[in-house]
Amino acid sequence: NRDSTNSNTPNFGANILFNHRFQKRGRNLAVNINLGTNSNESESEKINLTRNLNLPVPVEVALRQMIVQDNDSRNYGFRLNYSEPIAKDRFLDLIYSYNYSFTRNDRKTYDIDSIGLKEFSPELSNAFENKFVNQRFGANIRTVKKKYNYSLGVNFQPVNLRGYSISKDSMYTPQKRMNIFPVARLAYNFTRTKALNFNYFGNARQPSFTQLQPVRDISNPQYQTQGNPNLKPELNHNFTLFFNNFNFISGQ
């Protein structure tokens, strides 16, 4: 196999954070707004030479293709976090977030003959777009002590993924799902220099362009792939555990 690719991937993102502390100690409102856009234009020349030795006479097949892709994505979202003190060292955190993304993918495949002429292959090409809406409703109880603090809560995350094939003029099956994730955080300070931190959170993530594209990629005949537009969003469960021990004198 021999592949050669030229690509251009400009992107832009912005984030705005507003925080307001009320007169009552511990009451707080935080608002985070984000938006972004990115694109990916690429042109790949793929050459594959296959030799089948399991025949009376070995047969060689040469495959040469040009794949041109034009991907665009736009997204925006916001997050609200409101904290209310319910005891001297205990707080209720209410969280809501909304994220919207629109993506468009155009893939064109050309077969190249022995003299370099290109022929468009409609069965290996497709153009489609999809919209992904991701919301999150959460409530946490946060306790803050002198040596430790922890949070326990739950998040509800409804997701909605809709796709449309432009080249085939057809809708993909909408994917709707309600995910429920517990939330757990713990920070314990043994001393000024020794600390233990534990975090768990879950999240749903949108499938990638390649995973959704219902077009066969035969540029490597021994490893052919095809995306599935009916894929459900991916679920991630993340556990992290950190222990830190720092010596100010030695710097270790």
Side-chain angles (χ1 to χ4, degrees), residues 9 23 26 43 46 60 70 82 89 94 108 110 146 170 199 214 217:
T9 58
Q23 290 185 352
E43 185 176 282
K46 299 178 179 291
E60 287 190 351
D70 184 7
Y82 176 76
D89 53 8
L94 300 176
K108 295 182 175 69
Y110 300 87
K146 184 177 181 180
S170 62
N199 284 278
D217 183 349

PDB file of all heavy atoms in Angstrom, residues 9 23 26 43 46 60 70 82 89 94 108 110 146 170 199 214 217:
ATOM      1  N   THR A   9      -7.004  22.001   7.384  1.00  0.00           N
ATOM      2  CA  THR A   9      -7.954  21.859   8.500  1.00  0.00           C
ATOM      3  C   THR A   9      -8.005  23.127   9.360  1.00  0.00           C
ATOM      4  O   THR A   9      -7.552  23.127  10.518  1.00  0.00           O
ATOM      5  CB  THR A   9      -7.572  20.660   9.384  1.00  0.00           C
ATOM      6  OG1 THR A   9      -6.228  20.860   9.874  1.00  0.00           O
ATOM      7  CG2 THR A   9      -7.654  19.359   8.612  1.00  0.00           C
ATOM      8  N   GLN A  23     -24.829  38.048  47.524  1.00  0.00           N
ATOM      9  CA  GLN A  23     -24.473  38.521  48.864  1.00  0.00           C
ATOM     10  C   GLN A  23     -24.449  37.378  49.879  1.00  0.00           C
ATOM     11  O   GLN A  23     -23.618  37.354  50.780  1.00  0.00           O
ATOM     12  CB  GLN A  23     -25.453  39.612  49.324  1.00  0.00           C
ATOM     13  CG  GLN A  23     -25.304  40.923  48.563  1.00  0.00           C
ATOM     14  CD  GLN A  23     -26.200  42.003  49.122  1.00  0.00           C
ATOM     15  OE1 GLN A  23     -27.041  41.745  49.976  1.00  0.00           O
ATOM     16  NE2 GLN A  23     -26.025  43.228  48.613  1.00  0.00           N
ATOM     17  N   GLY A  26     -21.736  31.613  49.629  1.00  0.00           N
ATOM     18  CA  GLY A  26     -21.877  30.296  49.012  1.00  0.00           C
ATOM     19  C   GLY A  26     -22.856  30.255  47.855  1.00  0.00           C
ATOM     20  O   GLY A  26     -22.885  29.282  47.109  1.00  0.00           O
ATOM     21  N   GLU A  43      -7.309  15.545   0.015  1.00  0.00           N
ATOM     22  CA  GLU A  43      -7.234  14.827  -1.257  1.00  0.00           C
ATOM     23  C   GLU A  43      -6.193  13.732  -1.094  1.00  0.00           C
ATOM     24  O   GLU A  43      -5.026  14.019  -0.818  1.00  0.00           O
ATOM     25  CB  GLU A  43      -6.850  15.789  -2.384  1.00  0.00           C
ATOM     26  CG  GLU A  43      -6.863  15.156  -3.765  1.00  0.00           C
ATOM     27  CD  GLU A  43      -6.564  16.170  -4.855  1.00  0.00           C
ATOM     28  OE1 GLU A  43      -7.469  16.940  -5.212  1.00  0.00           O
ATOM     29  OE2 GLU A  43      -5.400  16.195  -5.317  1.00  0.00           O
ATOM     30  N   LYS A  46      -4.445   6.792  -3.282  1.00  0.00           N
ATOM     31  CA  LYS A  46      -4.190   5.499  -2.655  1.00  0.00           C
ATOM     32  C   LYS A  46      -3.882   4.459  -3.726  1.00  0.00           C
ATOM     33  O   LYS A  46      -4.647   4.288  -4.672  1.00  0.00           O
ATOM     34  CB  LYS A  46      -5.401   5.063  -1.824  1.00  0.00           C
ATOM     35  CG  LYS A  46      -5.735   6.039  -0.679  1.00  0.00           C
ATOM     36  CD  LYS A  46      -6.963   5.602   0.084  1.00  0.00           C
ATOM     37  CE  LYS A  46      -7.265   6.563   1.220  1.00  0.00           C
ATOM     38  NZ  LYS A  46      -6.255   6.499   2.298  1.00  0.00           N
ATOM     39  N   GLU A  60      -2.050 -10.783  -9.988  1.00  0.00           N
ATOM     40  CA  GLU A  60      -1.816  -9.480  -9.381  1.00  0.00           C
ATOM     41  C   GLU A  60      -2.915  -8.501  -9.804  1.00  0.00           C
ATOM     42  O   GLU A  60      -3.286  -8.447 -10.976  1.00  0.00           O
ATOM     43  CB  GLU A  60      -0.444  -8.924  -9.780  1.00  0.00           C
ATOM     44  CG  GLU A  60       0.723  -9.621  -9.106  1.00  0.00           C
ATOM     45  CD  GLU A  60       2.026  -8.877  -9.340  1.00  0.00           C
ATOM     46  OE1 GLU A  60       2.028  -7.936 -10.158  1.00  0.00           O
ATOM     47  OE2 GLU A  60       3.041  -9.237  -8.707  1.00  0.00           O
ATOM     48  N   ASP A  70     -14.619  16.718   1.819  1.00  0.00           N
ATOM     49  CA  ASP A  70     -14.869  18.086   2.265  1.00  0.00           C
ATOM     50  C   ASP A  70     -15.806  18.012   3.468  1.00  0.00           C
ATOM     51  O   ASP A  70     -16.998  17.746   3.317  1.00  0.00           O
ATOM     52  CB  ASP A  70     -15.496  18.906   1.128  1.00  0.00           C
ATOM     53  CG  ASP A  70     -15.695  20.368   1.508  1.00  0.00           C
ATOM     54  OD1 ASP A  70     -15.217  20.763   2.591  1.00  0.00           O
ATOM     55  OD2 ASP A  70     -16.337  21.106   0.731  1.00  0.00           O
ATOM     56  N   TYR A  82     -25.604  26.661  39.114  1.00  0.00           N
ATOM     57  CA  TYR A  82     -26.089  27.465  40.234  1.00  0.00           C
ATOM     58  C   TYR A  82     -25.827  26.715  41.540  1.00  0.00           C
ATOM     59  O   TYR A  82     -26.167  25.529  41.666  1.00  0.00           O
ATOM     60  CB  TYR A  82     -27.581  27.745  40.090  1.00  0.00           C
ATOM     61  CG  TYR A  82     -28.172  28.494  41.263  1.00  0.00           C
ATOM     62  CD1 TYR A  82     -27.954  29.857  41.420  1.00  0.00           C
ATOM     63  CD2 TYR A  82     -28.932  27.829  42.220  1.00  0.00           C
ATOM     64  CE1 TYR A  82     -28.485  30.549  42.500  1.00  0.00           C
ATOM     65  CE2 TYR A  82     -29.469  28.510  43.309  1.00  0.00           C
ATOM     66  CZ  TYR A  82     -29.240  29.868  43.435  1.00  0.00           C
ATOM     67  OH  TYR A  82     -29.764  30.552  44.510  1.00  0.00           O
ATOM     68  N   ASP A  89     -21.522  23.866  55.746  1.00  0.00           N
ATOM     69  CA  ASP A  89     -20.465  23.332  54.891  1.00  0.00           C
ATOM     70  C   ASP A  89     -21.011  22.450  53.771  1.00  0.00           C
ATOM     71  O   ASP A  89     -20.322  21.582  53.252  1.00  0.00           O
ATOM     72  CB  ASP A  89     -19.465  22.534  55.731  1.00  0.00           C
ATOM     73  CG  ASP A  89     -20.148  21.464  56.575  1.00  0.00           C
ATOM     74  OD1 ASP A  89     -21.362  21.255  56.395  1.00  0.00           O
ATOM     75  OD2 ASP A  89     -19.465  20.838  57.416  1.00  0.00           O
ATOM     76  N   LEU A  94     -26.917  22.904  41.019  1.00  0.00           N
ATOM     77  CA  LEU A  94     -27.839  22.588  39.933  1.00  0.00           C
ATOM     78  C   LEU A  94     -27.171  22.965  38.620  1.00  0.00           C
ATOM     79  O   LEU A  94     -26.682  24.087  38.461  1.00  0.00           O
ATOM     80  CB  LEU A  94     -29.159  23.344  40.106  1.00  0.00           C
ATOM     81  CG  LEU A  94     -29.929  23.051  41.396  1.00  0.00           C
ATOM     82  CD1 LEU A  94     -31.167  23.931  41.488  1.00  0.00           C
ATOM     83  CD2 LEU A  94     -30.310  21.583  41.480  1.00  0.00           C
ATOM     84  N   LYS A 108     -15.965  11.999  -2.277  1.00  0.00           N
ATOM     85  CA  LYS A 108     -15.981  11.625  -3.693  1.00  0.00           C
ATOM     86  C   LYS A 108     -14.803  10.682  -3.955  1.00  0.00           C
ATOM     87  O   LYS A 108     -13.668  10.971  -3.573  1.00  0.00           O
ATOM     88  CB  LYS A 108     -15.877  12.859  -4.599  1.00  0.00           C
ATOM     89  CG  LYS A 108     -17.056  13.811  -4.523  1.00  0.00           C
ATOM     90  CD  LYS A 108     -16.874  14.967  -5.492  1.00  0.00           C
ATOM     91  CE  LYS A 108     -18.095  15.873  -5.520  1.00  0.00           C
ATOM     92  NZ  LYS A 108     -18.240  16.621  -4.252  1.00  0.00           N
ATOM     93  N   TYR A 110     -12.694   8.463  -6.901  1.00  0.00           N
ATOM     94  CA  TYR A 110     -12.410   8.326  -8.332  1.00  0.00           C
ATOM     95  C   TYR A 110     -11.477   7.134  -8.532  1.00  0.00           C
ATOM     96  O   TYR A 110     -10.483   6.985  -7.810  1.00  0.00           O
ATOM     97  CB  TYR A 110     -11.738   9.586  -8.886  1.00  0.00           C
ATOM     98  CG  TYR A 110     -12.560  10.847  -8.750  1.00  0.00           C
ATOM     99  CD1 TYR A 110     -12.490  11.618  -7.585  1.00  0.00           C
ATOM    100  CD2 TYR A 110     -13.392  11.266  -9.774  1.00  0.00           C
ATOM    101  CE1 TYR A 110     -13.231  12.772  -7.446  1.00  0.00           C
ATOM    102  CE2 TYR A 110     -14.148  12.428  -9.651  1.00  0.00           C
ATOM    103  CZ  TYR A 110     -14.064  13.179  -8.481  1.00  0.00           C
ATOM    104  OH  TYR A 110     -14.808  14.323  -8.345  1.00  0.00           O
ATOM    105  N   LYS A 146     -12.507  20.995  56.286  1.00  0.00           N
ATOM    106  CA  LYS A 146     -11.164  21.554  56.339  1.00  0.00           C
ATOM    107  C   LYS A 146     -10.157  20.658  55.633  1.00  0.00           C
ATOM    108  O   LYS A 146      -9.295  21.149  54.883  1.00  0.00           O
ATOM    109  CB  LYS A 146     -10.753  21.760  57.798  1.00  0.00           C
ATOM    110  CG  LYS A 146      -9.397  22.434  57.953  1.00  0.00           C
ATOM    111  CD  LYS A 146      -9.068  22.686  59.418  1.00  0.00           C
ATOM    112  CE  LYS A 146      -7.712  23.376  59.563  1.00  0.00           C
ATOM    113  NZ  LYS A 146      -7.369  23.644  60.977  1.00  0.00           N
ATOM    114  N   SER A 170     -32.378  10.868   1.238  1.00  0.00           N
ATOM    115  CA  SER A 170     -33.109  10.023   2.194  1.00  0.00           C
ATOM    116  C   SER A 170     -32.670  10.357   3.620  1.00  0.00           C
ATOM    117  O   SER A 170     -31.528  10.756   3.861  1.00  0.00           O
ATOM    118  CB  SER A 170     -32.879   8.539   1.897  1.00  0.00           C
ATOM    119  OG  SER A 170     -31.519   8.218   2.040  1.00  0.00           O
ATOM    120  N   ASN A 199     -12.230  11.049  40.903  1.00  0.00           N
ATOM    121  CA  ASN A 199     -13.327  11.596  40.099  1.00  0.00           C
ATOM    122  C   ASN A 199     -13.955  10.490  39.270  1.00  0.00           C
ATOM    123  O   ASN A 199     -13.258   9.609  38.755  1.00  0.00           O
ATOM    124  CB  ASN A 199     -12.816  12.688  39.160  1.00  0.00           C
ATOM    125  CG  ASN A 199     -12.548  13.993  39.855  1.00  0.00           C
ATOM    126  OD1 ASN A 199     -13.447  14.786  40.095  1.00  0.00           O
ATOM    127  ND2 ASN A 199     -11.281  14.222  40.207  1.00  0.00           N
ATOM    128  N   PRO A 214     -22.020   5.732   5.259  1.00  0.00           N
ATOM    129  CA  PRO A 214     -22.408   4.390   4.798  1.00  0.00           C
ATOM    130  C   PRO A 214     -21.842   4.061   3.424  1.00  0.00           C
ATOM    131  O   PRO A 214     -22.556   3.667   2.505  1.00  0.00           O
ATOM    132  CB  PRO A 214     -23.935   4.488   4.772  1.00  0.00           C
ATOM    133  CG  PRO A 214     -24.199   5.909   4.417  1.00  0.00           C
ATOM    134  CD  PRO A 214     -23.099   6.719   5.053  1.00  0.00           C
ATOM    135  N   ASP A 217     -15.053   1.653   1.888  1.00  0.00           N
ATOM    136  CA  ASP A 217     -13.708   2.117   1.570  1.00  0.00           C
ATOM    137  C   ASP A 217     -12.903   0.885   1.189  1.00  0.00           C
ATOM    138  O   ASP A 217     -12.553   0.070   2.037  1.00  0.00           O
ATOM    139  CB  ASP A 217     -13.095   2.812   2.782  1.00  0.00           C
ATOM    140  CG  ASP A 217     -11.706   3.386   2.478  1.00  0.00           C
ATOM    141  OD1 ASP A 217     -11.145   3.056   1.409  1.00  0.00           O
ATOM    142  OD2 ASP A 217     -11.184   4.149   3.313  1.00  0.00           O
TER     143      ASP A 217
END
